[in-house]
Amino acid sequence: MGKHLSNQKKIKDRAIVEPLISMLNNFHTLDEKVIRYLCENIAPVSFKRGTRLQEAGTHCEYIYFIKKGVLRGFILQGHKEVTTWISADNELVTSISSLDLELPAFENIQAIENCELLSISIEAMNNLYLQFTDFNIVGRKLLQQYYRDAEKRAYIVRLNNAQTKYKFFIENYSHLANRIQLLYIASFLGITLETLSRVRKKLSSTSINPEGNTSLKTG
């Protein structure tokens, strides 16, 4: 994955990194020295829809902040792609196994929209924790958020009713409902596209339209 970033220049203009600063400040107010470090160690990158940022089985070298776009994680079961998570604007993504244990990534990471990202190497992030101990508060709260998100994903795949799964998705991922392809939603929920279509049709016919809009993407 390093080949994607080898020619990228680090950010000097704080305005470019401001969306990330704003997001992190929601967890804990950043010291100006931390902001300066981030500006010096972050690179802007962009990926076209369909690009794989990370291949399963290889080490992940970067943490990405999504300024604009949508990324998904997926694994392969034979020739079938199984979506494991979906993240959009103002979220951070990486391979946790590479981040914490320095193991190869279990999942592929793919852009499912054209994406504008900010990237920082895992090495630079670890140095940030060492140099600025207050930033560990941010790191702890980020991991708590990541764990809450992982808990939701673990819950949704254990639901045994497709309609219940879809309603849970709408309640917790409404920002994605009208944005991403139905095939990714179905894969994320662990149901077939045909089943998802039937569920949506049933909810629509009974006037229970949880997303308030039936213009979900189908392809």
Side-chain angles (χ1 to χ4, degrees), residues 118-138:
L118 299 175
S119 67
I120 183 170
S121 71
I122 290 175
E123 180 182 6
M125 182 60 73
N126 287 334
N127 287 335
L128 176 58
Y129 287 128
L130 292 173
Q131 291 185 39
F132 306 99
T133 54
D134 276 0
F135 192 76
N136 284 271
I137 298 174
V138 177

Side-chain angles (χ1 to χ4, degrees), residues 14-196:
R14 172 171 169 164
I16 298 175
V17 77
E18 194 62 43
L20 173 60
I21 295 171
S22 179
M23 186 274 284
L24 294 176
N25 272 329
N26 288 328
F27 292 99
H28 183 73
T29 303
L30 300 182
D31 185 273
E32 282 299 320
K33 291 181 180 179
V34 170
I35 294 173
R36 190 177 309 119
Y37 181 95
L38 289 171
C39 290
E40 292 172 352
N41 288 276
I42 283 177
V45 291
S46 60
F47 296 96
K48 292 184 178 180
R49 176 182 175 181
T51 303
R52 289 194 193 185
L53 289 65
Q54 179 66 44
E55 298 281 349
T58 64
H59 283 84
C60 183
E61 301 174 19
Y62 298 95
I63 301 170
Y64 294 101
F65 173 76
I66 307 174
K67 291 185 70 176
K68 182 180 180 181
V70 183
L71 300 175
R72 71 162 179 145
F74 72 93
I75 59 174
L76 291 173
Q77 293 185 344
H79 297 293
K80 181 181 179 181
E81 295 182 358
V82 178
T83 299
T84 50
W85 54 262
I86 305 169
S87 293
D89 310 340
N90 297 313
E91 294 185 275
L92 290 165
V93 300
T94 190
S95 165
I96 292 298
S97 57
S98 291
L99 177 66
D100 188 37
L101 301 175
E102 298 183 359
L103 296 174
F106 295 115
E107 302 164 315
N108 303 278
I109 300 177
Q110 180 186 41
I112 56 176
E113 285 185 356
N114 293 336
C115 291
E116 297 176 9
L117 313 176
L118 299 175
S119 67
I120 183 170
S121 71
I122 290 175
E123 180 182 6
M125 182 60 73
N126 287 334
N127 287 335
L128 176 58
Y129 287 128
L130 292 173
Q131 291 185 39
F132 306 99
T133 54
D134 276 0
F135 192 76
N136 284 271
I137 298 174
V138 177
R140 172 174 58 82
K141 292 186 176 181
L142 282 170
L143 286 176
Q144 289 172 344
Q145 178 65 57
Y146 185 91
Y147 185 83
R148 287 193 294 270
D149 292 341
E151 193 172 45
K152 287 181 183 177
R153 295 195 297 271
Y155 176 78
I156 204 169
V157 298
R158 284 168 172 79
L159 295 172
N160 59 11
N161 179 276
Q163 183 169 306
T164 303
K165 283 174 178 278
Y166 183 60
K167 285 185 175 180
F168 185 87
F169 176 84
I170 294 300
E171 290 169 1
N172 291 273
Y173 302 93
S174 59
H175 62 294
L176 298 173
N178 295 306
R179 186 168 179 178
I180 63 173
Q181 297 174 357
L182 285 179
L183 65 93
Y184 295 135
I185 296 177
S187 178
F188 178 70
L189 298 179
I191 60 179
T192 65
L193 184 57
E194 292 76 15
T195 297
L196 178 58

Side-chain angles (χ1 to χ4, degrees), residues 5-21:
L5 305 176
S6 58
N7 296 322
Q8 297 295 330
K9 294 182 179 179
K10 298 297 187 291
I11 293 173
K12 298 301 180 182
D13 184 358
R14 172 171 169 164
I16 298 175
V17 77
E18 194 62 43
L20 173 60
I21 295 171

